[in-house]
């Protein structure tokens, strides 16, 4: 079988559509369709069933997937051995998926340092508030806020991070006293849109038994800007607070949350020296940056009894 046709086959299997595969491969859907047809003719088997919902693997197609992925892994390993996987600098393109809080406040500094060390490396950060599907190759690596419980994945804990209630002093000055967590009921709370919380680890207000936020967004950076604008009080990442120095922590002794970042890779990439080197450097950088940013956050006197 021709590797180029297998590459197209994997892209269609992961995207479940010709157009989605074409976007990933930079090919038009008609060309993708012809490649699939050529592979099916050569294999003497139907690999996909077409429906209004897209392209679904047949039983024969599902049998081909692990063999195509093995060929893909072997090709990646060969590329690593020729460049970017030994003692020389990293090169080529790496796509990293991350939740928007990490992507906005941690990764820019970390990736800048990695790119400075590896001028031939191209890093793409995909910042979306959702779980990434590495099986469909939406990214080469992903950072998650919980450990996946299923899938052919390798998972590494990166670091713990911390969160506290925060607000703008102007909001606190005009709002009812906030001396205990029970007082939150009298306040305008900023948080996630409840039906768009993509991971239970992000349901901070639910854990507090707090009411539905009256100013909400699915984006961490938007929530932080709502707090900066004096829209209310909400849970904020300690590592984001240095970027909003006007905010103060509220009731830090009453509420202190700890969560973790996890680095997630496809199991088939375990032998890629290039991705392993990048992952090691990324993990080191994230740990250091979270520690640096959190060390910059200090509780102003009086913030506990806002």
């Amino acid at each position: 079988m021709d590797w180029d046709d297998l590459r197209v086959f994997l892209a269609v299997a992961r995207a479940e559509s010709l157009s989605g595969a074409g976007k990933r491969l930079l090919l038009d859907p008609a060309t993708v369709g012809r490649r699939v047809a050529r592979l099916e003719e050569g294999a003497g088997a139907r690999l996909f069933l077409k429906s209004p919902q897209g392209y679904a693997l047949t039983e024969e197609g599902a049998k081909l997937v692990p063999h195509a992925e093995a060929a893909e892994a072997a090709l990646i390993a060969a590329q690593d051995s020729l460049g970017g996987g030994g003692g020389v600098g990293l090169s080529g393109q790496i796509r990293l998926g991350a939740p928007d809080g990490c992507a906005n406040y941690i990764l820019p500094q970390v990736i800048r340092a990695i790119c400075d060390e590896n001028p031939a490396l191209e890093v793409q950060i995909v910042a979306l508030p959702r779980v990434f599907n590495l099986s469909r190759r939406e990214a080469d690596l992903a950072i998650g806020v919980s450990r996946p419980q299923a899938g052919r994945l390798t998972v590494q804990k990166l670091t713990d991070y911390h969160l506290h209630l925060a607000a703008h002093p102007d909001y606190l000055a005009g709002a009812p006293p906030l001396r205990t967590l029970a007082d939150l009921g009298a306040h305008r709370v900023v948080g996630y849109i409840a039906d768009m919380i993509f991971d239970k680890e992000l349901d901070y207000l639910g854990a507090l038994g707090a009411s539905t936020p009256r100013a909400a967004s699915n984006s961490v950076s938007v929530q932080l800007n709502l707090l900066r604008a004096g829209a209310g009080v909400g849970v904020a990442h300690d590592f984001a607070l240095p970027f909003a120095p006007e905010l103060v922590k509220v009731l830090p002794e009453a509420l202190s949350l700890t969560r973790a970042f996890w680095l997630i890779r496809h199991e088939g990439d375990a032998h890629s020296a290039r991705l392993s080197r990048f992952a090691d450097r990324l993990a080191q950088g994230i740990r250091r940056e979270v520690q640096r940013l959190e060390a910059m956050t200090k509780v102003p006197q009086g913030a506990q009894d806002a």
Side-chain angles (χ1 to χ4, degrees), residues 188-194 197 202-205 211-220 222-224 226-227 231-236:
R188 188 166 58 226
V189 175
V190 173
Y192 278 101
I193 301 172
I197 295 176
L202 303 178
D203 190 11
Y204 313 129
L205 299 180
S211 59
T212 301
R214 283 182 275 170
S217 174
N218 67 328
S219 165
V220 167
V222 173
Q223 290 177 37
L224 190 73
L226 284 168
L227 296 176
V233 58
V235 175

Side-chain angles (χ1 to χ4, degrees), residues 23-254:
K23 289 178 182 178
R24 180 71 173 172
L25 299 170
L26 300 180
L27 297 173
D28 62 83
T31 299
V32 174
R34 286 195 296 270
R35 296 283 184 83
V36 169
R38 185 170 71 182
L39 181 60
E40 289 181 327
E41 182 179 356
R46 187 84 176 271
L47 302 176
F48 294 100
L49 289 177
K50 184 180 179 182
S51 73
Q53 287 72 41
Y55 278 66
L57 287 165
T58 63
E59 183 177 350
E60 294 301 317
K63 289 179 182 178
L64 181 58
V65 168
H67 299 289
E69 288 183 335
E72 180 183 54
L75 182 61
I76 292 173
Q79 291 172 335
D80 286 349
S81 68
L82 294 174
V88 298
L90 295 170
S91 61
Q93 181 189 98
I94 293 178
R95 179 174 292 181
L96 173 64
D100 69 323
C102 179
N104 275 287
Y105 303 112
I106 299 172
L107 287 183
Q109 302 86 268
V110 175
I111 297 304
R112 181 208 64 198
I114 294 176
C115 288
D116 284 349
E117 297 166 359
N118 302 275
L121 180 65
E122 175 190 343
V123 180
Q124 298 179 346
I125 301 173
V126 184
L128 292 175
R130 64 174 176 82
V131 177
F132 286 83
N133 191 327
L134 295 186
S135 295
R136 296 184 181 177
R137 298 291 175 170
E138 293 180 337
D140 297 302
L141 309 93
I143 296 170
V145 294
S146 64
R147 186 185 186 103
Q149 300 301 313
R152 297 171 55 202
L153 306 168
T154 58
V155 184
Q156 169 190 357
K157 183 176 179 179
L158 292 174
T159 186
D160 286 331
Y161 61 92
H162 304 90
L163 308 97
H164 290 88
L165 287 171
H168 195 288
D170 290 348
Y171 168 78
L172 295 172
L178 183 48
R179 297 189 177 92
T180 70
L181 293 178
D183 295 331
L184 281 173
H187 282 260
R188 188 166 58 226
V189 175
V190 173
Y192 278 101
I193 301 172
D195 62 359
M196 298 187 75
I197 295 176
F198 66 91
D199 193 296
K200 61 181 178 59
E201 294 294 330
L202 303 178
D203 190 11
Y204 313 129
L205 299 180
L208 292 174
S211 59
T212 301
R214 283 182 275 170
S217 174
N218 67 328
S219 165
V220 167
S221 57
V222 173
Q223 290 177 37
L224 190 73
N225 283 326
L226 284 168
L227 296 176
R228 297 180 71 185
V233 58
V235 175
H237 298 74
D238 283 10
F239 61 69
L241 290 178
F243 298 91
E246 65 273 37
L247 298 182
V248 296
K249 290 182 180 179
V250 179
L251 303 175
E253 293 184 355

